[in-house]
Amino acid sequence: MNDLAFRVIGAAHEVEGRLEGALGTIGLSLAKLNVLKALADTDEPLPLSHLADRCCCVRSNITQLVDRLEADRLVERLPDPADRRSVRAALTPAGRERHAEAVRLVGETEREVFAGLGEEDRQALTRLLGRLGS
Amino acid sequence: MNDLAFRVIGAAHEVEGRLEGALGTIGLSLAKLNVLKALADTDEPLPLSHLADRCCCVRSNITQLVDRLEADRLVERLPDPADRRSVRAALTPAGRERHAEAVRLVGETEREVFAGLGEEDRQALTRLLGRLGS
DNA sequence: GATGTATGATTCACCCATGAACGATCTCGC
DNA sequence: GCGAGATCGTTCATGGGTGAATCATACATC
C-alpha cells in the first residue's frame, strides 16, 4: 500500500541501470539509443525538431545529444536546401550498425530482467502500469 | 512481452513527473526531499558520507545537494569536533517544516496517481515489481 | 614520534534534461 | 515587396547524476 510510488520509481531505476550498464559496453546510453532508434525507424534524415518530438524531449536536449553522437561518428548533420533554418540528422553506416547491436543487447538484458516473470505476470504488469495516473 | 522494460521506465517517469510537479510548488524536488527525509528519519546531524549511503548516491552528489539545501536555509553544515575531516548536515527548523509539508504533498499526489488501482491491484503491482532483476 | 595508508569532503569533467533568450530564416497578410 | 510574427537550431543557466583526482585529516604500525 504505502510508498508504492517509490517502489515503481525504484524498480524503474534498477531496470534503467541494467540497460545503461549493458549499453555502456558499446559506448551508448539510453538517451543516445533513443535518438538512434528514431532515426533507424524512419530510415531517413530527420529535422532536429521532429527528432525532439519523437524523443519526447526539448530541442536543446537534442542539440546536445546530436553533438555527442556526431562526435561518436554515429550520426551526421545535413543541411536542408529547402529550409535554411533546418538541420537534419542522419545515421551513418556505423550508426546503423551500432543501433542493431544495441537492440540486440537491450533485448538480452530485458529477458534477464524479466526472467522471473511468466507471460501472465508480464501482461498483468503491463495492464497495471497502464492504469496509473488515470 | 515486448518493450516491457520501457513501459516500466515510462510509467515511473510519469510518476516522477507528478511528484516533481507537486514538490516544485514548495521549492523542493525528489532529490532534495530524499536528503531531508534521511535527516528527519535519524533526527540528528549526519556526516555527509552517511547521508550518501542512505540516499544511495555518491558523495559528490551529496556535496552539491547540501550546497543547494543550505542556500535554501533548510539544512546547515556543522563541523564535527571529534573528526575535523567530517562535516555533518543538520535540518534547520525551516527544513523540518518543509519536510513535513512535502510528505503531505507526496501522500496526496500518490493517492491521485494510484486512484485507478484497488487495494488488490496495488499489492499485485508491488509483488510483480519486487520480482524484477531476480 | 615518523611514516604510510585509509577516509572525509570537495572540485572537476562529463552526461542528461529543462526552460529562457537569441539570431537566422521563413511565411503570411497587407 | 515588406513588415510582423512564427519557427528552427543553438547557447546559456540551472538542476540532478556519475567517477576520478585532490587535500586535509585520522589512524595504524614500526
Side-chain angles (χ1 to χ4, degrees):
Chain A
M1 37 161 270
N2 222 359
D3 280 337
L4 188 43
F6 295 102
R7 265 181 246 260
V8 173
I9 293 171
H13 213 75
E14 173 74 20
V15 174
E16 260 182 303
R18 296 281 284 263
L19 292 175
E20 294 279 8
L23 289 172
T25 64
I26 59 170
L28 285 185
S29 61
L30 280 173
K32 285 180 176 178
L33 174 55
N34 203 23
V35 172
L36 296 185
K37 198 184 290 186
L39 291 173
D41 283 353
T42 67
D43 208 29
E44 61 177 4
L46 274 182
L48 300 197
S49 287
H50 293 199
L51 209 43
D53 291 343
R54 302 202 184 217
C55 294
C56 295
C57 65
V58 299
R59 279 167 309 163
S60 58
N61 195 16
I62 292 295
T63 294
Q64 297 183 122
L65 277 165
V66 170
D67 283 349
R68 289 189 288 266
L69 286 167
E70 206 169 18
D72 294 340
R73 302 282 173 192
L74 301 178
V75 159
E76 52 184 354
R77 279 180 164 91
L78 303 177
D80 182 343
D83 184 343
R84 282 154 52 215
R85 295 170 302 180
S86 180
V87 173
R88 292 168 309 157
L91 278 183
T92 65
R96 202 171 298 278
E97 251 178 71
R98 195 72 65 88
H99 171 252
E101 288 176 65
V103 167
R104 206 176 38 70
L105 255 182
V106 165
E108 255 178 50
T109 308
E110 214 170 7
R111 275 193 293 282
E112 283 172 27
V113 170
F114 295 105
L117 271 55
E119 184 52 31
E120 277 187 30
D121 289 330
R122 299 183 194 194
Q123 285 178 12
L125 184 52
T126 300
R127 192 179 52 81
L128 288 169
L129 291 176
R131 280 204 276 141
L132 297 194
S134 26
Chain B
M1 33 157 253
N2 221 3
D3 279 337
L4 188 43
F6 295 102
R7 267 181 245 260
V8 173
I9 292 171
H13 213 75
E14 174 74 21
V15 174
E16 261 181 304
R18 297 281 285 262
L19 292 175
E20 295 277 9
L23 289 172
T25 65
I26 58 169
L28 284 185
S29 62
L30 279 172
K32 285 179 175 178
L33 174 55
N34 203 23
V35 171
L36 295 186
K37 198 185 289 187
L39 291 174
D41 283 354
T42 67
D43 207 33
E44 63 176 4
L46 274 182
L48 300 196
S49 287
H50 293 198
L51 209 42
D53 291 345
R54 303 203 184 213
C55 295
C56 294
C57 64
V58 299
R59 277 168 308 165
S60 58
N61 196 13
I62 291 295
T63 294
Q64 296 184 122
L65 277 166
V66 170
D67 282 350
R68 283 179 235 126
L69 286 167
E70 207 170 17
D72 295 339
R73 303 280 174 195
L74 301 178
V75 158
E76 52 184 353
R77 280 181 164 89
L78 303 177
D80 183 344
D83 184 344
R84 283 157 49 215
R85 293 170 303 180
S86 182
V87 173
R88 292 168 307 157
L91 278 183
T92 64
R96 202 171 298 279
E97 249 177 72
R98 196 71 66 87
H99 171 253
E101 288 177 65
V103 167
R104 205 176 39 72
L105 255 182
V106 165
E108 255 177 51
T109 308
E110 214 171 7
R111 274 192 295 282
E112 283 172 28
V113 170
F114 294 105
L117 271 57
E119 184 52 33
E120 277 187 27
D121 289 331
R122 300 182 194 195
Q123 285 177 13
L125 183 52
T126 300
R127 192 179 53 80
L128 288 169
L129 291 175
R131 281 203 275 141
L132 298 193
S134 31

